[in-house]
Amino acid sequence: MGHSSRVLGHYDKPMWDSIARKEWALQYCPESARFRYPPSPICPDSLSMNYEWRPIKGTGEILSWAIFHRKYFDDFPPPYNTIAVRLDEGPIVVSNLVGPEPEGDWIGRRVQVVYAEHDGVTIPKMKLV
Amino acid sequence: MSKSQLSKALSGVAAIAGVGHSDWIADYAAVRGGAKPHDSFGYGAIALKRALEDAGIDKSEIDGLVSGPPTAHERMCEVLGIDPSWGAQADAMMGIQAAAMAIHAGMCEVVALVYGNDQRSAAVNYGGSNAAGGNAFLSYIYHAPWGFTSQGALYAIMLRRFMHDTGFTEADMGQVAVAQRLHASLNPHAIMQKRVTIEDYLATNYVTEPLHLLDYCLINDGGVAFIMMSAERARRGKRKPAVIHGIGRHDLSREATSLAPRLTNFYRPAQAKVAEQVFNMAGVGPKDMSCLQIYDSFSVHIPLALEGYGYCGYGEAAKFLRETGISLERGLPVNTSGGHLSESYMQGWNHQVEAVRQIRGECGDRQVPDCRYVHYSSDVAGKALSIIYGH
């Protein structure tokens, strides 16, 4: 079984540092004017390797959701929800919806990031706006 | 690219002349009883021996070898005692496409494609902290901090969006498991032969909602092998060949980790491109297909492929399942062996075996009458691929 763990690739650390400061930032390419996620070495649109870490607003819209009924991680007892969110900056992120859950269809509901502590790591989650 | 510019160079060039596989039912029972009959190489070796026998050729005729993903290529060659002139490590679809190109280019004449997988006895996990494939597919592991893991979850969240966009329901989804189990009940090689109803389907637990247990493929040990050669040579052989009339591939990997190709268009642009390639190459269309074999790690693949390849319009899969049907009893039969859900989870390899047997007309109770063309499709991890098999 085992615990969940983050992927900490060569470009991930600055993002997780920003999350720890509760100021989630993503790579922004000035040439294509696009944000990207997950972090990567180059802009897939402009092929520019120049980027800045720009804080995101943390707002977006639920694209879809799925409820886990099986246990895959020691630290995630089922049932629990997962959501895919289209950030207002463009990229799609996966998260969990905390707090009240919508009745019926979740898709299209607006959400806002909230920061939660999980085993000593700050994780960005979402709540309904 | 306009249709006239699409290459037809591989149409009718190569054929599958022999197929073989391990005894999935016996090995499934043995592994559940705590035994481990073989490792991945052993399952592959059994399958190859049977494929050679089926094709009626000697091992010495093989001069090309494709090894499936679980078995290192050099070691597979060593185990089998084959020193080929051409080789590759590839999954079923990419292996067949590469082998057809190699045969067409004259790099080799007879290719053995060998797959063995001890995933059940080796307790391979497709989710969790050691999820298989995470080294190759970042989406399999990147979302673990939110508990999001497993390939099933990728398809569950995709299905939820598909339901939202098209009105598809869980009962519609259940049609796939029910039809494929019916097919498996007519297949002596299938592991799960007990028929199920929609009520049975809906009564099973969710694994990752909205997917039920019966939407998930089996996990079992086994092996599959094919012998490929030029269509001309195959026609002189022992068996009626399954000739490859069309073959094509298109990838959608942009934003794969953040799930955009799944959630925003269900891989439709890739499927549309592949449909154009393969139907144009084969000179046939969806209406000419006698049956479909669709890669079904999860049942969701079936409605998405029906729409993506033009068997019905976008958003019409539910209507197609209800009004036309996908079973041997009515409509357009899909996964006539039971597929990954009910026959055996051989990662697309067993679908080729079924396609070949349907073309040969040797499927017994599950034979599609007058089977002329079989369309195999897979859309897995950003790659849409298709083959049109025929006489």
Side-chain angles (χ1 to χ4, degrees):
Chain A
M1 186 73 54
H3 259 57
S4 69
S5 62
R6 294 175 290 172
V7 172
L8 292 172
H10 190 70
Y11 303 93
D12 288 295
K13 191 170 181 301
M15 181 183 78
W16 284 102
D17 289 346
S18 75
I19 292 167
R21 295 191 304 271
K22 299 183 169 53
E23 295 172 343
W24 191 1
L26 295 179
Q27 287 166 303
Y28 174 81
C29 171
E31 293 187 37
S32 67
R34 292 188 68 164
F35 286 84
R36 63 182 187 261
Y37 177 83
S40 63
I42 192 165
C43 173
D45 293 298
S46 68
L47 292 188
S48 170
M49 297 185 85
N50 297 323
Y51 57 83
E52 54 194 76
W53 287 99
R54 203 178 262 201
I56 58 170
K57 285 179 292 190
T59 49
E61 178 182 307
I62 296 177
L63 279 183
S64 192
W65 87 104
I67 310 292
F68 281 70
H69 291 265
R70 197 194 129 174
K71 189 169 184 178
Y72 287 98
F73 296 114
D74 293 332
D75 49 332
F76 277 90
Y80 59 94
N81 75 61
T82 56
I83 55 175
V85 174
R86 170 77 80 187
L87 297 174
D88 290 339
E89 287 81 2
I92 299 168
V93 298
V94 169
S95 190
N96 307 115
L97 187 70
V98 298
E101 296 182 352
E103 294 281 321
D105 200 346
W106 296 21
I107 293 171
R109 298 297 298 263
R110 296 283 302 168
V111 290
Q112 164 76 50
V113 72
V114 289
Y115 294 93
E117 295 301 309
H118 184 95
D119 289 347
V121 177
T122 305
I123 305 286
K125 308 221 171 192
M126 297 284 174
K127 65 172 185 182
L128 290 175
V129 173
Chain B
M1 197 182 282
S2 74
K3 277 191 184 182
S4 60
Q5 290 173 298
L6 291 169
S7 174
K8 297 181 182 179
L10 283 178
S11 183
V13 166
I16 294 186
V19 294
H21 58 81
S22 59
D23 187 340
W24 298 313
I25 296 172
D27 292 334
Y28 187 76
V31 172
R32 282 178 70 91
K36 184 179 177 75
H38 303 282
D39 71 359
S40 295
F41 293 94
Y43 291 119
I46 288 168
L48 177 66
K49 280 167 68 87
R50 292 178 180 173
L52 288 169
E53 190 185 332
D54 186 55
I57 67 164
D58 188 78
K59 189 187 83 167
S60 61
E61 294 184 54
I62 294 170
D63 60 356
L65 191 114
V66 173
S67 311
T71 50
H73 185 68
E74 180 187 87
R75 178 65 181 151
M76 184 58 96
C77 292
E78 179 185 4
V79 165
L80 299 174
I82 295 172
D83 288 325
S85 304
W86 176 84
Q89 180 121 39
D91 64 27
M93 265 302 310
M94 290 192 279
I96 290 170
Q97 190 183 42
M101 291 191 287
I103 290 166
H104 183 55
M107 304 302 289
C108 54
E109 292 187 16
V110 180
V111 182
L113 298 95
V114 185
Y115 169 85
N117 198 335
D118 64 358
Q119 56 191 340
R120 177 108 192 180
S121 61
V124 172
N125 284 318
Y126 290 96
S129 55
N130 56 351
N135 55 337
F137 303 105
L138 193 55
S139 62
Y140 292 6
I141 55 174
Y142 200 80
H143 310 297
W146 298 274
F148 189 92
T149 184
S150 82
Q151 291 161 55
L154 293 167
Y155 285 94
I157 202 164
M158 190 175 179
L159 173 61
R160 178 60 77 189
R161 180 75 202 195
F162 185 69
M163 292 165 75
H164 170 89
D165 285 2
T166 72
F168 198 85
T169 66
E170 289 187 24
D172 294 325
M173 191 71 273
Q175 300 276 352
V176 172
V178 170
Q180 292 192 199
R181 191 60 71 82
L182 169 74
H183 302 164
S185 77
L186 305 171
N187 176 5
H189 306 293
I191 291 171
M192 295 293 174
Q193 297 187 16
K194 185 168 174 278
R195 293 189 189 187
V196 295
T197 64
I198 287 288
E199 291 71 32
D200 295 331
Y201 166 86
L202 291 170
T204 60
N205 292 333
Y206 291 120
V207 180
T208 300
E209 187 182 345
L211 288 181
H212 291 262
L213 179 66
L214 293 180
D215 292 310
Y216 281 64
C217 65
L218 303 167
I219 302 288
N220 62 288
D221 282 19
V224 178
F226 332 123
I227 307 296
M228 278 179 68
M229 58 183 69
S230 72
E232 183 207 352
R233 182 169 175 165
R235 286 197 172 95
R236 299 196 302 268
K238 177 181 165 192
R239 293 280 189 181
K240 184 176 4 174
V243 176
I244 293 169
H245 291 273
I247 189 162
R249 163 180 174 177
H250 191 82
D251 296 7
L252 276 187
S253 296
R254 279 189 66 128
E255 299 185 75
T257 304
S258 63
L259 315 182
R262 295 174 184 275
L263 297 179
T264 60
N265 56 35
F266 314 112
Y267 291 124
R268 281 169 178 166
Q271 292 173 329
K273 281 199 160 63
V274 172
E276 191 180 1
Q277 278 176 27
V278 298
F279 289 133
N280 183 64
M281 190 184 292
V284 294
K287 287 191 165 40
D288 300 305
M289 296 303 120
S290 305
C291 62
L292 271 58
Q293 311 298 333
I294 299 172
Y295 189 104
D296 57 329
S297 43
F298 305 94
S299 57
V300 198
H301 287 287
I302 280 73
L304 297 176
L306 291 171
E307 294 191 2
Y309 289 97
Y311 291 93
C312 60
Y314 290 161
E316 293 179 357
K319 182 166 174 274
F320 187 92
L321 290 169
R322 287 178 208 145
E323 296 179 8
T324 304
I326 57 165
S327 86
L328 285 161
E329 290 182 336
R330 69 183 180 97
L332 177 65
V334 174
N335 287 342
T336 47
S337 69
H340 289 155
L341 300 184
S342 291
E343 185 194 43
S344 180
Y345 179 46
M346 295 282 102
Q347 301 184 317
W349 295 70
N350 52 319
H351 291 72
Q352 318 308 320
V353 173
E354 179 69 7
V356 169
R357 287 176 171 158
Q358 287 288 352
I359 290 293
R360 289 177 178 172
E362 59 184 33
C363 284
D365 291 341
R366 68 180 194 285
Q367 179 63 45
V368 174
D370 188 28
C371 183
R372 298 193 59 205
Y373 290 102
V374 180
H375 179 185
Y376 170 74
S377 125
S378 69
D379 62 283
V380 179
K383 295 184 297 296
L385 302 104
S386 276
I387 306 177
I388 308 291
Y389 290 102
H391 295 285

